[in-house]
Amino acid sequence: MTTASKKKRRSYWLKQLHLWHWVSSAICLVGLLLFTVTGITLNHAAEIEGKPKVFTREAQLAPALAGALAPAPQKGRAPLPAEVAAWLGAELGLDLRSREAEWSAGEAYVSLPRAGGDAWLTVARDTGEVVYERTDRGWISYLNDLHKGRNTGTVWKWFIDFFAVACLVFTLTGLVLLQLHSHNRPSTWPLVGFGLLGPVLLLLFFIH
């Protein structure tokens, strides 16, 4: 291969790497800001005071709806009757279609975990009395749960996977670009080595 051909090929791949690198960095920008900031808040979670707010609401099923609870199992897990779930959804602003209840002889209990808080509701089988409670732990807790993917649903889980792949592309193309430019930048590999050696030393001497 001639020198001109080598230069042309190198120029082509250099342009491609720059393209992949800046596109992946643009895709990752906001996500990196989110995960960087929440990495700090998670690392200092015990030092950041939270003031949970608890919201409670009570409701009453109509006799016909309460009667629909009778055929339900005496124990175990099963969805609420469709008509009961629909009424509760409209009354309390909840989507209970994919939720299972824990049944006992006295009540149905539905756990409703959510990012940044928690929630649950109970339905008494004999009286149809409904108790709903929601806990909000604040926006920092909400963002921390986004970082962990805790109670965030399937779509957010897919986003985290997509974001991780974009970060991988960003990192690998950056590494190759470092290699291609390293002959003009003598400090490149010492800095990369320090980035590796620093965490390794911390693990060896301070993490037990």
Side-chain angles (χ1 to χ4, degrees), residues 5-197:
S5 297
K6 288 180 179 179
K7 288 183 177 180
K8 186 176 181 180
R9 184 177 180 183
R10 185 178 186 278
S11 177
Y12 168 79
W13 282 111
L14 193 59
K15 289 180 180 178
Q16 290 299 312
L17 286 167
H18 276 107
L19 174 64
W20 298 341
H21 190 65
W22 83 257
V23 169
S24 61
S25 69
I27 292 173
C28 293
L29 176 61
V30 175
L32 279 173
L33 286 172
L34 169 66
F35 283 92
T36 301
V37 171
T38 52
I40 296 172
T41 57
L42 278 169
N43 197 40
H44 296 275
E47 302 162 27
I48 300 174
E49 294 185 7
K51 297 180 179 179
K53 296 180 180 179
V54 180
F55 168 81
T56 303
R57 183 175 172 185
E58 297 182 357
Q60 180 67 49
L61 293 179
L65 286 174
L69 301 173
Q74 294 295 305
K75 62 179 180 178
R77 301 181 63 87
L80 292 168
E83 59 271 35
V84 175
W87 186 87
L88 290 171
E91 184 72 13
L92 302 174
L94 303 173
D95 184 1
L96 300 172
R97 290 172 296 180
S98 60
R99 303 285 187 174
E100 285 192 334
E102 296 179 20
W103 293 89
S104 65
E107 66 178 19
Y109 171 85
V110 183
S111 178
L112 301 165
R114 51 194 291 272
D118 199 4
W120 54 266
L121 69 83
T122 59
V123 184
R125 302 184 68 157
D126 53 350
T127 64
E129 181 183 1
V130 178
V131 178
Y132 170 64
E133 182 176 290
R134 184 182 74 241
T135 303
D136 184 355
R137 297 189 178 91
W139 66 270
I140 292 180
S141 179
Y142 177 78
L143 293 177
N144 286 346
D145 282 348
L146 292 184
H147 184 111
K148 296 182 288 185
R150 177 180 178 270
N151 300 324
T152 51
T154 302
V155 174
W156 186 257
K157 179 181 178 181
W158 291 343
F159 166 76
I160 292 177
D161 289 342
F162 172 79
F163 171 73
V165 171
C167 286
L168 185 62
V169 172
F170 174 63
T171 304
L172 293 179
T173 53
L175 182 62
V176 177
L177 287 170
L178 282 175
Q179 193 278 327
L180 291 174
H181 292 295
S182 61
H183 61 283
N184 294 322
R185 300 168 182 171
S187 61
T188 296
W189 297 122
L191 289 173
V192 173
F194 176 76
L196 171 64
L197 184 61

Side-chain angles (χ1 to χ4, degrees), residues 193-207:
F194 176 76
L196 171 64
L197 184 61
V200 170
L201 291 176
L202 290 176
L203 289 171
L204 289 175
F205 293 103
F206 297 101
I207 309 298

